[in-house]
Amino acid sequence: MSKAPVGSKANPSEFDVLSKLAEDEPYFVIRAHDPLSSALVELHAYIGAGQSGAAHNKLAEIMAMTSARAPRPASSPKYRETFAISLAMEQWRDTHQD
């Protein structure tokens, strides 16, 4: 039997934080099932590493992928909830500064 891929439920990343989340800390999960998942995670890594050129290129790739057809309509409840989570994250950080 092969080993589960890194970052999976069966083989969490060394930096996995799910068990470290505060009870009231908002979080967002991007699953491999999402067609944009790998590109979004790569974009996050480029931005975090300060590689602005690579981040710009990856963002352009994402925009090209979604220009013909968005993964879900703007009226989708899932889409609206994503913005609500983003806002909740920002508000949580404002009240939980170290």
Side-chain angles (χ1 to χ4, degrees):
M1 185 170 168
S2 65
K3 187 175 181 180
V6 67
S8 65
K9 194 173 181 180
N11 185 17
S13 159
E14 173 186 352
F15 305 102
D16 187 84
V17 298
L18 286 180
S19 65
K20 298 174 187 170
L21 288 173
E23 285 295 316
D24 66 339
E25 183 175 356
Y27 67 96
F28 184 83
V29 175
I30 300 174
R31 296 178 57 201
H33 181 74
D34 185 319
L36 298 175
S37 62
S38 58
L40 290 170
V41 171
E42 193 173 341
L43 175 63
H44 175 77
Y46 286 140
I47 292 169
Q51 296 180 13
S52 59
H56 176 79
N57 292 342
K58 185 54 65 174
L59 181 56
E61 180 183 316
I62 292 168
M63 297 308 295
M65 290 168 55
T66 61
S67 66
R69 186 176 77 82
R72 67 182 60 87
S75 61
S76 165
K78 194 171 188 177
Y79 178 80
R80 289 191 308 272
E81 184 178 88
T82 301
F83 281 109
I85 292 169
S86 173
L87 178 60
M89 289 174 165
E90 187 175 340
Q91 292 170 338
W92 190 88
R93 276 194 314 273
D94 287 347
T95 60
H96 292 80
Q97 295 179 5
D98 293 335

